[in-house]
Amino acid sequence: MDRASTEAFFATLKAANPHPTTELEYTSVFELLTAVMLSAQSTDAGVNKATRRLFPRASTPQAMLELGLDGLEAEIRTIGLYHTKARNLLRTCTILIAQHGGEVPRTREALQALPGVGRKTANVVLNVAFGEPTMAVDTHILRVGNRTGLAPGKTPLEVERKLLARVPPAYLPDAHHWLILLGRYVCQARMPRCWECSVAAYCDYQPKTPAPKS
């Protein structure tokens, strides 16, 4: 994808959705961090279903700790890997209270030092909560980056670095959301819905997938 196509690609996505945001539900930075930690290998819809029960009971690190492991697991047991996620979340809450005054830190280094927080989770928090122009590469963005020719790469980190270099600066703060939504609903893994894709004209993928016959 050349520079002109890249500009048109993001201009089109912005025109269709000027103010994109995460589909995870939250009302504070701590709730966002919690939701993102729970979302690994789970759907946003599934996480939201669980956190609608969890957050009224535990919306702060201290309240989460007071639930205890059994109480927390009971609230999130519908989410995949909930045993591991519950343990990581409680350990994270302990560190937030002991080292950060109960607040979520604003640096990548401090975020990634929290149990269960990797580069992708840190990037989401930095972007969504603090407005940093980061790129959280999940399976959707990895696929879109490669399939469209926007940022080909074998690893999430390689795709992330290429996207940060290639996305025009004006679009970078929201690019993470546009690419996730594109991958989730249009540029899907098994069959990209090219016939209804607003940016198909700028994409390198060939041959374009035709609309299914009725």
Side-chain angles (χ1 to χ4, degrees):
M1 189 184 297
D2 60 26
R3 183 173 297 181
S5 294
T6 301
E7 173 70 31
F9 182 95
F10 283 101
T12 301
L13 293 176
K14 180 175 182 178
N17 186 3
H19 304 291
T21 188
T22 178
E23 293 186 320
L24 293 170
E25 298 173 0
Y26 69 97
T27 61
S28 68
V29 181
F30 174 69
E31 287 186 358
L32 173 65
L33 173 63
T34 299
V36 179
M37 290 177 66
L38 294 177
S39 71
Q41 300 183 44
S42 302
T43 66
D44 287 1
V47 172
N48 289 338
K49 184 177 180 180
T51 57
R52 286 172 197 150
R53 299 189 304 267
L54 173 64
F55 289 157
R57 295 190 61 195
S59 60
T60 66
Q62 185 61 46
M64 195 79 72
L65 287 174
E66 289 172 2
L67 273 183
L69 182 60
D70 289 344
L72 179 54
E73 287 190 345
E75 297 293 343
I76 66 170
R77 66 175 60 252
T78 56
I79 298 174
L81 305 176
Y82 74 93
H83 288 296
T84 299
K85 292 176 180 178
R87 286 174 171 80
N88 283 337
L89 188 51
L90 292 179
R91 290 167 61 205
T92 284
C93 289
T94 299
I95 293 172
L96 291 179
I97 292 170
Q99 299 181 17
H100 303 287
E103 300 295 323
V104 177
R106 298 184 63 136
T107 68
R108 180 191 305 283
E109 293 74 19
L111 284 167
Q112 289 189 226
L114 300 171
V117 177
R119 186 177 182 88
K120 184 185 75 172
T121 296
N123 278 339
V124 173
V125 173
L126 290 170
N127 177 259
V128 176
F130 303 125
E132 298 288 337
T134 58
M135 189 65 62
V137 178
D138 65 355
T139 56
H140 296 300
I141 293 184
L142 186 69
R143 179 174 65 255
V144 170
N146 278 279
R147 183 181 278 164
T148 63
L150 180 62
K154 294 182 179 180
T155 67
L157 183 57
E158 185 180 0
V159 170
E160 176 188 336
R161 287 173 173 167
K162 286 187 176 181
L163 285 170
L164 291 174
R166 296 199 63 193
V167 175
Y171 303 111
L172 197 52
D174 293 319
H176 157 77
H177 297 300
W178 287 320
L179 294 176
I180 283 181
L181 294 171
L182 182 65
R184 183 173 291 165
Y185 297 111
V186 181
C187 196
Q188 297 175 339
R190 292 189 177 181
M191 187 175 73
R193 304 175 68 84
C194 301
W195 67 92
E196 63 181 29
C197 179
S198 63
V199 292
Y202 315 112
C203 165
D204 291 349
Y205 180 70
Q206 296 293 338
K208 296 293 192 283
T209 307
K213 296 181 180 179
S214 56

